[in-house]
Amino acid sequence: MHPVSRPLARQLARQACKQLAQKRNASTALRATTAATSASTTSTVAAQHHRRREFATSRYDDGSARSAVINVLNNIASKREVQQYLAQFTSVSSQQFAVIKVGGAILTDYIDELCASLRNLNQMGLYPVIIHGAGPQLNKLLEAAGVEPQYKEGIRITDPKTLGIARKLFLEENLKLTEALESWGVRARPVTSGVLMADYKDKDTYQLVGEVNQVNAASLKAAIADGYIPVLTCMAESEDGQVLNVNADKAAAELARALVPLKIVYLSEKGGIHDKETGKLIEAINLDEEYEEYMKKPWVIHGTRSKIRDIKTLLDDLPRSSSVAIIHPEALERELFTHSGAGTLIRRGTKLQQASSLAEFGDRSQLKQTLVRDREGFDSAAVVDRYLESLNTRSFRAYYDENMEALAIVLPPTDSPKSLAQLATLTMTRSAWLSNIADNVFQNLKRDFPQLAWTVKQDDENLTWFSEKADGSIARKGEVLFWYGIESPEEVRELMSEFVQHGRQMFGDINLESQLHRAAAAAERIRAGAANLMGKRPTGQQQQQARAFSTNARPATQSVTAAIAHKRGYATTNPNPPLGIKNSEKDYPSKVALIGARGYTGKALVDLLNKHPNFDLCHVSSRELAGQKLKGYERKEIIYESLTPDDVRRMADRKEIDCWVMALPNGVCKPYVDAIDESAHKDALIVDLSADYRFNSDWTYGLPELVQRNKIASATRISNPGCYATAAQLGIAPLLQHLAPSPAHPTAFGVSGYSGAGTKPSPKNDVNNLTDNLIPYSLTDHIHEREISSQLGTEVAFIPHVAVWFQGIHHTISVPLAEKMVSRDVRQLYQDRYHGEKLVTVRGESPLVKNIGGKHGVEIGGFAVHSSGKRAVVNVTIDNLLKGAATQCLQNMNLALGYAEYEGIPLE
């Protein structure tokens, strides 16, 4: 047996990219040699660029580069896919191939990957129109120039000074990209004016910001006609010649409206839109069917919401075949030349119809014609007739478009245990593949049938596409079984074993393709027998046809167990993986107010906000420090205020603040929260660092490693966990399923540095009193004991102490076990549970509190097990001011406000 799985497809893609990289390195070396030779004969930069262009042109004219690129693409996709898309792209005028929008972060971090991909397209005679932004670079320049960025509804207010800086930057970035492309052997032409015309966008509010109202494409067409890829920047001009700043996404959309390209691509370092409820990449969005559904999802907020809305507005003005792909620059070739694509594809889609009886089809002759299509052969019409008759006695669900370019028939699972839905028939025209109707069909299947299995011939030309849609597969004697949605390894093993024994017959006689193949093979045997009786040999064409329908291909040998290793779906054990950059959907700052900034936690948070690229601290409030200058914040001068709840309400009514951080003692912040709740901006984010709302079900508990991140990302009221409680929960959670039954329960012995006792003088923060001492306090019923037990759903005893060091907590946690375990098994549970977590470190040895101060994560180790095997002991350390408070607050703010989860958090 030979497994054909999605990881294998990805491996092939990586190999292809590696081959591309090798070719790039070779080309770079050759270009370097050429440049060095040029430098020895002439010292002018112009001469070097001229020779570089001559070198690139000679390679393109040679045709060998084109062949090499196509051969590499064949490792990513089937030859059929590559040739189909290449034929499609070259069937239109060059400027109608693609518009590619390049974000500023791509120019900073992925410019080589971008240039390599564009070179490959160029060597195949394709000329995309490139438009780029430079938002992140502009933010840094403005900050360095002392210009405080101003935004309204996510749009940068552009005054003359900002425009001057932006204009200079965009020209520099345009030249940078153009020269980078030239150095890769791609002829590129900067087009920095005369294309985008614009009107002012509410000049009184936004000043020098424009909305594109006209695209003059003549210079783009001229550049392409001369053999250059045009590179635009997102600056437009008004009717009177004033340069205006325009949004890059909207400028790309207007270019697309004017050029009507086959492909519209937005390059993003995130690689697409991710579903924050599952953490998975959304492969496609069919707007006609799913737009309203997506707009209702709680996580579709901020930039994601506006992006989907703007793309819908664009596609409503373009032919139905148009689509927008949001992808990573490394995946550009895969998006353009494969059916499965890459990243997130957004399209209007083809609205599919459904039927669960033959009568619902109406025109039965069209159904029959569709099923016979591309399968003509001896007795095929009769086979289809018998197949349709069999559907009269079976439960089924069919999916098809109005013109029946695509048709899928699924047999739902029966009432018997472990029964699976089965894809009995799938037929697509070439147009259905190229217009992504096939993907639309499969989206519907995955929505309606969480588990599905199907079989195809091993020589099927769309095998790669099927692999992308499946969780796993296995091949046997020329047939391939695919499945998705089966999470249990045991169920996968049983399914594969049955297929190994019985092949397609394991599902009975439900597969139309199988029936047609058998009919064709029988017809060929009849012909061959007749030919032998007449003393004739079958023709070469007849032999080839027989081979095409053979079910006796020699299988590769591989064990079922080895094949299961390729099954994805249950390999990742962290059920709540970090969103990381997937959460990033805003490219403008959020305004922050800090209420209660006097304490240690407030100071730690100010230090983090000072270094965060997207948080603009506007107000800090402290009665004791009112009128003094805030220390530690270097981005602008801020004076402490003494804000009352009435002040907060008025500020909220004016929508001055996006995020309120309450760093007040327990029991103090309610009047401030009530003021915001009663204001005109009750949707503003509040993060409360006190314990006041940790037991309120209307608030979201903000421990990202244990609480579903999508819930935090869509929250507007977040209670930040306590420091002891954070460490204890992380130290116990992986063993929750292994706890001994009540009355046994975990016990956490915690020791904190005296910063945890606050700034108000007391015996617990008196260094003289703490020297050579350890002070126990609140030995029962501490509020963190209640918090830990409430969040974990099981009783936990907590015994706190304070020691002489300043910051840092150490927990020793004793956990009674229901079954015997050994130390390595316990450690493995923790490593699996926190796989991918950047703020949780699992180590074998016990972590030391002296090593955790100033660090932004949690360390877990020790993993001792009693000789009985029924009790585990785990050690946990955490900085109470950072991951125990300020860092966790910043992590929650990032998630809820639409920034990368770890943005602004120093990661060791």
Side-chain angles (χ1 to χ4, degrees):
M1 286 72 65
H2 178 66
V4 186
S5 61
R6 184 166 189 164
L8 182 58
R10 287 177 175 159
Q11 182 181 354
L12 288 173
R14 286 195 296 270
Q15 291 172 350
C17 292
K18 186 176 181 181
Q19 293 178 43
L20 283 171
Q22 291 171 345
K23 293 179 185 296
R24 294 169 194 160
N25 294 338
S27 298
T28 303
L30 184 54
R31 286 198 297 275
T33 303
T34 304
T37 303
S38 301
S40 67
T41 57
T42 176
S43 61
T44 66
V45 174
Q48 293 180 18
H49 279 300
H50 178 69
R51 284 169 172 77
R52 189 176 288 158
R53 284 196 291 270
E54 287 183 334
F55 169 73
T57 303
S58 67
R59 280 184 55 109
Y60 178 75
D61 292 342
D62 181 29
S64 61
R66 174 186 169 99
S67 299
V69 170
I70 290 177
N71 286 337
V72 172
L73 286 175
N74 287 337
N75 287 329
I76 300 175
S78 68
K79 286 185 178 181
R80 172 178 170 274
E81 287 177 293
V82 172
Q83 294 301 332
Q84 278 184 357
Y85 284 105
L86 193 54
Q88 182 189 29
F89 296 153
T90 54
S91 68
V92 297
S93 57
S94 295
Q95 73 272 9
Q96 288 184 294
F97 160 50
V99 170
I100 300 178
K101 182 260 175 176
V102 180
I106 302 299
L107 296 180
T108 301
D109 300 329
Y110 300 100
I111 193 166
D112 284 340
E113 290 83 350
L114 172 63
C115 290
S117 294
L118 293 176
R119 183 194 66 173
N120 293 333
L121 298 179
N122 193 227
Q123 288 175 338
M124 288 185 286
L126 301 175
Y127 293 85
V129 176
I130 309 298
I131 181 167
H132 68 83
Q137 298 93 316
L138 180 58
N139 288 337
K140 290 181 180 178
L141 281 182
L142 291 175
E143 184 175 347
V147 178
E148 183 178 350
Q150 297 291 325
Y151 290 84
K152 185 174 179 61
E153 297 179 354
I155 299 171
R156 186 193 302 273
I157 297 173
T158 305
D159 59 17
K161 183 174 183 179
T162 299
L163 183 66
I165 295 172
R167 177 66 171 160
K168 181 175 182 291
L169 169 67
F170 288 172
L171 290 175
E172 290 173 351
E173 292 297 306
N174 187 273
L175 182 62
K176 170 185 169 183
L177 176 55
T178 303
E179 290 185 339
L181 286 168
E182 291 277 354
S183 73
W184 279 84
V186 178
R187 301 174 74 187
R189 177 176 292 176
V191 183
T192 57
S193 63
V195 175
L196 301 176
M197 307 302 294
D199 289 327
Y200 286 93
K201 178 183 177 67
D202 189 354
K203 187 176 181 180
D204 292 338
T205 301
Y206 299 106
Q207 300 188 42
L208 299 174
V209 174
E211 286 189 325
V212 177
N213 59 11
Q214 182 182 341
V215 174
N216 300 322
S219 58
L220 305 180
K221 296 177 182 178
I224 292 172
D226 292 341
Y228 292 85
I229 288 180
V231 181
L232 290 81
T233 188
C234 56
M235 284 284 174
E237 298 157 58
S238 69
E239 196 173 51
D240 58 3
Q242 172 65 53
V243 174
L244 297 174
N245 182 20
V246 295
N247 177 273
D249 282 355
K250 294 184 182 297
E254 293 305 322
L255 274 174
R257 282 190 177 91
L259 300 175
V260 193
L262 291 172
K263 287 284 185 177
I264 306 161
V265 179
Y266 290 3
L267 296 183
S268 163
E269 65 272 26
K270 293 196 298 179
I273 298 174
H274 293 79
D275 186 328
K276 293 180 184 177
E277 293 180 358
T278 63
K280 294 181 179 179
L281 176 74
I282 298 173
E283 295 182 357
I285 297 175
N286 296 303
L287 295 171
D288 281 2
E289 292 185 325
E290 300 176 300
Y291 177 73
E292 295 299 333
E293 177 185 340
Y294 271 98
M295 289 298 104
K296 293 176 183 176
K297 291 181 181 292
W299 57 267
V300 178
I301 51 178
H302 308 310
T304 299
R305 188 177 188 84
S306 59
K307 188 177 289 289
I308 295 174
R309 183 182 59 239
D310 290 347
I311 289 173
K312 181 183 186 302
T313 302
L314 167 63
L315 293 178
D316 283 345
D317 295 337
L318 295 176
R320 182 168 286 277
S321 58
S322 301
S323 62
V324 174
I326 304 172
I327 62 171
H328 193 281
E330 291 178 337
L332 186 55
E333 293 102 326
R334 185 162 173 240
E335 168 59 33
L336 294 175
F337 291 98
T338 68
H339 293 329
S340 55
T344 300
L345 182 71
I346 303 179
R347 60 201 172 210
R348 289 176 64 188
T350 301
K351 203 166 183 68
L352 295 179
Q353 302 178 42
Q354 294 187 31
S356 54
S357 70
L358 294 180
E360 293 179 45
F361 283 100
D363 187 356
R364 187 159 169 172
S365 63
Q366 185 185 12
L367 174 60
K368 179 177 177 180
Q369 184 180 356
T370 300
L371 292 172
V372 173
R373 178 176 63 205
D374 298 328
R375 297 155 163 165
E376 289 83 355
F378 178 78
D379 205 29
S380 59
V383 172
V384 168
D385 281 335
R386 290 193 294 271
Y387 182 76
L388 290 176
E389 287 302 319
S390 72
L391 293 181
N392 276 322
T393 60
R394 285 176 168 163
S395 175
F396 71 89
R397 190 180 303 177
Y399 300 80
Y400 57 97
D401 63 301
E402 184 179 5
N403 298 319
M404 284 204 176
E405 299 277 342
L407 171 65
I409 297 177
V410 177
L411 302 186
T414 65
D415 294 332
S416 61
K418 299 183 181 179
S419 174
L420 278 175
Q422 300 151 27
L423 178 58
T425 300
L426 181 69
T427 176
M428 302 279 171
T429 64
R430 177 177 179 272
S431 174
W433 288 110
L434 293 178
S435 60
N436 301 111
I437 300 177
D439 286 323
N440 195 359
V441 168
F442 236 85
Q443 270 190 283
N444 278 264
L445 298 187
K446 287 197 170 184
R447 179 196 64 204
D448 295 342
F449 298 101
Q451 296 181 329
L452 185 73
W454 68 98
T455 59
V456 299
K457 295 288 291 180
Q458 196 167 4
D459 58 2
D460 191 295
E461 58 191 5
N462 296 304
L463 201 67
T464 302
W465 183 84
F466 284 119
S467 295
E468 290 289 337
K469 301 303 176 188
D471 286 349
S473 61
I474 186 171
R476 167 197 181 272
K477 295 184 178 180
E479 300 170 347
V480 183
L481 168 70
F482 291 101
W483 68 87
Y484 68 70
I486 308 173
E487 298 296 334
S488 164
E490 184 58 36
E491 289 182 27
V492 172
R493 188 176 292 108
E494 290 177 9
L495 180 69
M496 295 171 71
S497 297
E498 189 173 356
F499 180 71
V500 169
Q501 295 178 43
H502 305 293
R504 280 181 167 179
Q505 292 304 310
M506 65 184 283
F507 295 130
D509 202 16
I510 66 164
N511 190 282
L512 178 59
E513 285 77 8
S514 178
Q515 295 180 33
L516 290 168
H517 290 157
R518 288 202 306 273
E524 185 54 37
R525 286 195 297 272
I526 292 171
R527 291 192 193 97
N532 289 335
L533 288 173
M534 298 174 66
K536 297 179 180 179
R537 297 178 61 83
T539 66
Q541 182 179 1
Q542 291 169 338
Q543 288 178 326
Q544 180 62 37
Q545 186 179 15
R547 282 195 295 271
F549 289 122
S550 171
T551 59
N552 295 314
R554 184 184 300 274
T557 57
Q558 186 166 357
S559 70
V560 171
T561 302
I564 289 176
H566 290 272
K567 161 77 170 73
R568 68 168 172 81
Y570 52 82
T572 301
T573 50
N574 185 345
N576 182 34
L579 290 176
I581 197 172
K582 299 173 188 175
N583 193 66
S584 177
E585 54 186 39
K586 280 174 70 174
D587 57 1
Y588 56 92
S590 295
K591 295 184 180 298
V592 178
L594 178 57
I595 310 298
R598 178 177 176 272
Y600 295 128
T601 296
K603 292 177 181 177
L605 186 56
V606 167
D607 182 60
L608 287 171
L609 293 172
N610 182 51
K611 299 170 185 174
H612 196 288
N614 280 311
F615 287 143
D616 178 14
L617 183 59
C618 300
H619 298 273
V620 292
S621 177
S622 170
R623 286 198 309 271
E624 293 88 345
L625 301 176
Q628 299 182 35
K629 180 181 177 181
L630 173 66
K631 296 179 181 179
Y633 195 75
E634 302 165 353
R635 298 165 72 167
K636 61 183 177 183
E637 182 176 276
I638 295 181
I639 304 300
Y640 279 102
E641 305 167 74
S642 180
L643 296 175
T644 67
D646 286 339
D647 295 329
V648 167
R649 181 184 291 104
R650 285 190 290 270
M651 293 165 62
D653 282 336
R654 294 191 296 267
K655 298 186 177 181
E656 293 181 9
I657 299 300
D658 301 302
C659 175
W660 301 87
V661 179
M662 304 294 170
L664 296 164
N666 292 344
V668 176
C669 76
K670 188 177 186 302
Y672 294 92
V673 172
D674 289 345
I676 299 167
D677 285 342
E678 295 164 4
S679 75
H681 195 207
K682 61 182 65 177
D683 290 336
L685 175 66
I686 304 176
V687 182
D688 177 28
L689 274 63
S690 77
D692 290 5
Y693 293 95
R694 290 176 191 162
F695 307 98
N696 187 326
S697 60
D698 293 332
W699 285 57
T700 299
Y701 189 73
L703 181 45
E705 289 77 13
L706 297 182
V707 175
Q708 286 298 316
R709 285 172 158 96
N710 68 286
K711 187 176 179 182
I712 299 173
S714 58
T716 59
R717 300 292 182 267
I718 298 174
S719 57
N720 214 59
C723 49
Y724 273 126
T726 295
Q729 288 175 73
L730 292 171
I732 296 171
L735 286 173
L736 279 177
Q737 302 302 316
H738 305 274
L739 293 181
S742 183
H745 55 262
T747 298
F749 180 95
V751 184
S752 172
Y754 65 84
S755 61
T759 57
K760 184 178 180 179
S762 78
K764 290 188 292 184
N765 57 23
D766 182 342
V767 175
N768 292 327
N769 185 45
L770 289 169
T771 300
D772 300 325
N773 200 4
L774 183 69
I775 301 177
Y777 66 99
S778 300
L779 297 181
T780 63
D781 299 309
H782 189 287
I783 193 167
H784 284 159
E785 181 174 86
R786 179 185 168 200
E787 180 181 346
I788 298 164
S789 301
S790 173
Q791 293 297 324
L792 291 180
T794 188
E795 183 182 355
V796 176
F798 169 56
I799 308 167
H801 301 72
V802 63
V804 72
W805 61 81
F806 177 67
Q807 65 191 107
I809 286 173
H810 185 282
H811 270 305
T812 295
I813 305 172
S814 177
V815 183
L817 303 173
E819 303 291 340
K820 288 185 177 181
M821 300 182 74
V822 296
S823 176
R824 65 175 177 272
D825 294 335
V826 174
R827 179 181 177 183
Q828 189 64 52
L829 285 173
Y830 283 75
Q831 289 175 331
D832 289 346
R833 177 60 185 78
Y834 297 125
H835 175 76
E837 297 289 354
K838 295 185 182 299
L839 298 182
V840 178
T841 300
V842 178
R843 58 178 78 254
E845 66 275 12
S846 292
L848 301 178
V849 73
K850 71 175 183 178
N851 296 329
I852 200 66
K855 292 186 178 180
H856 295 269
V858 175
E859 295 187 359
I860 306 175
F863 304 117
V865 175
H866 187 264
S867 57
S868 66
K870 301 294 287 290
R871 181 170 63 88
V873 178
V874 178
N875 294 131
V876 185
T877 58
I878 186 174
D879 187 314
N880 53 297
L881 302 180
L882 297 178
K883 177 58 176 170
T887 302
Q888 188 138 267
C889 175
L890 199 72
Q891 194 178 358
N892 286 321
M893 291 167 66
N894 280 335
L895 286 169
L897 290 169
Y899 303 111
E901 180 176 346
Y902 301 113
E903 193 165 336
I905 299 175
L907 300 173
E908 289 81 4

